[in-house]
Amino acid sequence: MSQNRHLEGGSEVIDRRNVAGLFLARFLRSCSMNLQRPVLPTFASSLGADSEKMGMIQSISTMVALPSSLFLGRIADKLGRKIMFTASMALTSLSRVIYALSGSWIHFIPASIIGSISFRTYRPLSTTIGAESTVKESRALVMSLLSLGWMIPGFFLPYLAGILAESVGERAVIWISAGISAVGVITVWTIIRETFRFSEPPELKISIKELLVPNRDLADIYLLKTIDSISYGIWMRGVLFMFMVDAFGVTSSYLGMLSSLRNVLSAIMSVLAGWFSDRVGRKKLLVISEVFGILTLLALILLPDPHAIMVYYPILVSGIIATWSSPYSALLSERTSIRDRVTEITKVDFISSLVGLPFPYVGGSLFRRFGWRAPFLLALPLTFISLLAACRIREPEA
């Protein structure tokens, strides 16, 4: 395998073209997501779905997507990052089209499956391309700046999506989302270049054992990610906004405003967190992220009111996101080998998500049977355990 990295004076430097391309890719995918996310719960409700059904869909899509994304991650290590990253963006667009064509909440199942495959291949590939286009001394900071491409559309598009949905309908907004994600496919293919190329044709025979056996050197990361997958699966991933629709009857514009406020704060905090992570280490930021998770759950339990949620949710959840994303990505990329990086990153996501598979449905069922506080009360002790696991994380070697 031969490297495709820019060298200057014998040392690696940042690949500015890839950084720019990755920023645009994240920006366009975020535009698509931020248009769709606030309108999907009310669109689902209009088609007969509720929190329990949406939790079930989330669990089904994850169950189907996990094995396929694991194999796709291995193929990306064999064939290259760019082609699989482009394919991931194409699946995003296809998912949006199926949502837009849905005539029943049942149609959300294939759309969610395709979207889940897309997300679970996009995330490790984006992390890998970002890590391999930067240098260790400023990696977390550059990756946090890249995350602005993801966050900036969230400043205004969720609220705009809610307003548009109330005037032209949710379906029309989802069609716009599909069009934007299609532009992202073209952007990735034309701008981003491979970070590594193989000098010989790759061997594509894949060992199931190789894919499924965890890397013992990453045991601490597996533990933290798995507990988080269970905890956040219960109350956040794909179901929290649906809880709000069912409990308070909130509108698309309310959900859009909530997302916009969260994304603005996440952008500001993320750059500071990336800078801090490069100077004091990744571990401290991951510990702080778990503290934010605990505070968020306590607030949701003690202050279950849509007016209060509008105040504390953006602050606390942006804290979770900002102090987790870039430090975690930098930590994982620095503790994996170049040759198998996508495979290892995907494997961590696969195994942790596999354990957390049923919990969006569990959260939806608890909410439906016992009310607002039930999912958060179950997730709270798990997040305390995550905090202890974060304290045991090993920093990458210098």
Side-chain angles (χ1 to χ4, degrees):
M1 180 178 65
S2 61
Q3 291 191 164
N4 182 33
R5 290 293 303 275
H6 290 287
L7 299 178
E8 190 174 275
S11 61
E12 293 181 329
V13 298
I14 294 173
D15 186 333
R16 292 180 177 83
R17 173 174 161 176
N18 267 16
V19 170
L22 195 56
F23 182 91
L24 288 173
R26 291 185 176 193
F27 181 84
L28 291 167
R29 197 178 193 281
S30 179
C31 285
S32 175
M33 184 203 70
N34 279 292
L35 282 170
Q36 176 175 286
R37 178 175 285 176
V39 306
L40 207 57
T42 51
F43 186 44
S45 182
S46 72
L47 296 177
D50 55 26
S51 294
E52 189 171 24
K53 290 185 177 70
M54 292 300 286
M56 178 190 69
I57 290 172
Q58 179 79 4
S59 293
I60 290 173
S61 63
T62 303
M63 179 176 62
V64 176
L66 281 175
S68 58
S69 64
L70 188 63
F71 279 92
L72 290 171
R74 186 56 177 165
I75 292 171
D77 274 327
K78 294 292 186 180
L79 295 180
R81 291 41 165 144
K82 177 177 178 176
I83 188 169
M84 297 307 297
F85 194 52
T86 306
S88 172
M89 296 289 286
L91 288 175
T92 299
S93 186
L94 176 60
S95 172
R96 306 294 194 254
V97 169
I98 297 175
Y99 275 123
L101 292 172
S102 295
S104 164
W105 68 269
I106 295 293
H107 300 151
F108 279 32
I109 296 176
S112 181
I113 289 171
I114 293 170
S116 185
I117 293 173
S118 168
F119 178 72
R120 292 182 183 283
T121 51
Y122 166 88
R123 185 167 56 184
L125 285 164
S126 176
T127 297
T128 299
I129 293 171
E132 293 173 355
S133 300
T134 57
V135 292
K136 183 175 181 179
E137 292 74 15
S138 58
R139 181 165 290 134
L141 177 59
V142 172
M143 294 184 78
S144 66
L145 291 171
L146 278 172
S147 71
L148 293 179
W150 183 262
M151 294 176 185
I152 287 172
F155 294 1
F156 58 93
L157 279 180
Y159 183 63
L160 177 61
I163 297 297
L164 283 173
E166 291 170 12
S167 59
V168 300
E170 292 98 339
R171 196 184 299 272
V173 177
I174 296 172
W175 273 118
I176 297 171
S177 169
I180 291 174
S181 61
V183 176
V185 178
I186 300 170
T187 300
V188 169
W189 185 252
T190 55
I191 297 180
I192 292 178
R193 54 189 169 193
E194 290 287 3
T195 50
F196 290 91
R197 297 183 187 279
F198 289 87
S199 56
E200 298 178 358
E203 173 59 59
L204 289 179
K205 291 179 65 177
I206 300 172
S207 164
I208 298 297
K209 181 179 179 180
E210 179 186 5
L211 289 177
L212 294 180
V213 175
N215 183 340
R216 292 184 179 180
D217 291 337
L218 302 176
D220 53 340
I221 295 178
Y222 274 102
L223 177 63
L224 175 61
K225 194 70 165 54
T226 298
I227 301 171
D228 273 345
S229 181
I230 296 171
S231 174
Y232 288 112
I234 291 170
W235 68 273
M236 180 184 282
R237 297 192 177 111
V239 291
L240 180 59
F241 279 9
M242 200 70 205
F243 292 166
M244 294 182 192
V245 172
D246 285 353
F248 309 122
V250 298
T251 63
S252 294
S253 58
Y254 173 91
L255 297 178
M257 177 62 76
L258 205 61
S259 295
S260 293
L261 291 171
R262 178 198 64 200
N263 289 332
V264 169
L265 292 172
S266 294
I268 297 170
M269 296 176 68
S270 180
V271 175
L272 295 173
W275 176 85
F276 190 67
S277 174
D278 281 329
R279 280 151 183 79
V280 304
R282 323 309 189 194
K283 177 178 178 176
K284 289 183 176 64
L285 273 296
L286 299 182
V287 170
I288 292 171
S289 179
E290 299 300 337
V291 172
F292 271 113
I294 292 169
L295 293 175
T296 305
L297 287 167
L298 288 173
L300 288 167
I301 292 167
L302 299 173
L303 298 169
D305 174 84
H307 298 293
I309 289 172
M310 184 65 79
V311 175
Y312 66 72
Y313 171 88
I315 298 171
L316 296 177
V317 175
S318 63
I320 296 173
I321 296 168
T323 55
W324 172 271
S325 180
S326 297
Y328 173 77
S329 297
L331 175 78
L332 194 50
S333 66
E334 289 160 7
R335 286 182 55 183
T336 51
S337 68
I338 291 171
R339 184 176 182 85
D340 298 318
R341 183 164 288 148
V342 183
T343 301
E344 291 294 345
I345 292 174
T346 307
K347 192 189 296 184
V348 171
D349 188 56
F350 170 80
I351 293 176
S352 61
S353 297
L354 186 65
V355 175
L357 182 64
F359 288 94
Y361 178 71
V362 170
S365 298
L366 285 171
F367 172 85
R368 187 173 179 83
R369 287 164 175 76
F370 302 107
W372 172 264
R373 290 181 174 85
F376 312 121
L377 286 170
L378 177 60
L380 184 59
L382 292 170
T383 311
F384 273 106
I385 297 173
S386 292
L387 175 61
L388 297 177
C391 291
R392 297 179 62 84
I393 286 289
R394 178 170 60 85
E395 290 277 7
E397 297 177 1

